[in-house]
Amino acid sequence: MKIYGIFTSMVLSAVILSGCISQSMTPEEFINSSDGVSLTINGKQVMTYREGRHQIGYNDEEVQFRFSDDRFSNFFVVKCVDVPKEQGQTIEALLTYTTDNDILEKLCNFTVSKIDGDMVWLWDGKKKIGAVIRLLR
């Protein structure tokens, strides 16, 4: 009976600890899991564009992409130093986004992982943050 208790404790500890480990994601996994405007943090898409429920905007002069729900309660903004032009390009950007109870800002060093028409996949491997943006012109 004592062995059963020890085994149960070990299994429960492993389950609890596995929830604390952030998911790892590669640039390829990010590209393949994100086919539209979205924000991914630690392997989880936290915001995804849905037509009729969200709005997107782009300010070419400020190289600023904006995404929000119709009530402006959930949003993310990516303000880049340079316009994403080619795959492999590294761009410094300020990411501002909402969580359930806060507004956070992160300075990111995004790599342009993919460009398809006006869609751009930006990935910061160190911070495990990915943003798919649409450059409206």
Side-chain angles (χ1 to χ4, degrees):
M1 197 67 163
K2 187 176 183 179
I3 293 174
Y4 177 75
I6 292 172
F7 178 74
T8 302
S9 295
M10 289 173 50
V11 169
L12 286 174
S13 295
V15 169
I16 291 169
L17 287 174
S18 68
C20 297
I21 299 170
S22 65
Q23 287 194 7
S24 181
M25 181 179 258
T26 66
E28 294 78 21
E29 290 171 327
F30 165 64
I31 290 169
N32 292 328
S33 68
S34 307
D35 60 355
V37 173
S38 59
L39 178 64
T40 301
I41 299 177
N42 292 326
K44 181 181 176 192
Q45 273 192 359
V46 295
M47 293 185 203
T48 304
Y49 176 77
R50 304 245 189 284
E51 193 169 337
R53 295 180 61 197
H54 298 107
Q55 300 177 25
I56 57 175
Y58 177 69
N59 181 324
D60 193 38
E61 194 172 293
E62 295 197 22
V63 193
Q64 182 185 65
F65 170 84
R66 298 177 304 278
F67 164 99
S68 71
D69 62 14
D70 286 337
R71 296 180 307 156
F72 298 101
S73 56
N74 294 305
F75 65 86
F76 74 91
V77 177
V78 179
K79 185 171 182 178
C80 301
V81 172
D82 295 311
V83 176
K85 294 178 183 159
E86 61 186 356
Q87 190 170 328
Q89 178 183 6
T90 302
I91 297 174
E92 189 174 290
L94 179 63
L95 169 66
T96 307
Y97 64 99
T98 55
T99 64
D100 289 336
N101 56 3
D102 207 355
I103 298 173
L104 301 175
E105 286 189 341
K106 303 236 184 227
L107 187 58
C108 297
N109 287 307
F110 286 120
T111 299
V112 178
S113 299
K114 179 180 174 181
I115 297 178
D116 186 6
D118 58 359
M119 300 292 289
V120 180
W121 283 253
L122 301 172
W123 177 250
D124 184 323
K126 187 174 182 180
K127 291 187 172 76
K128 302 295 183 201
I129 295 175
V132 181
I133 61 173
R134 186 170 176 194
L135 303 175
L136 303 170
R137 296 182 180 183

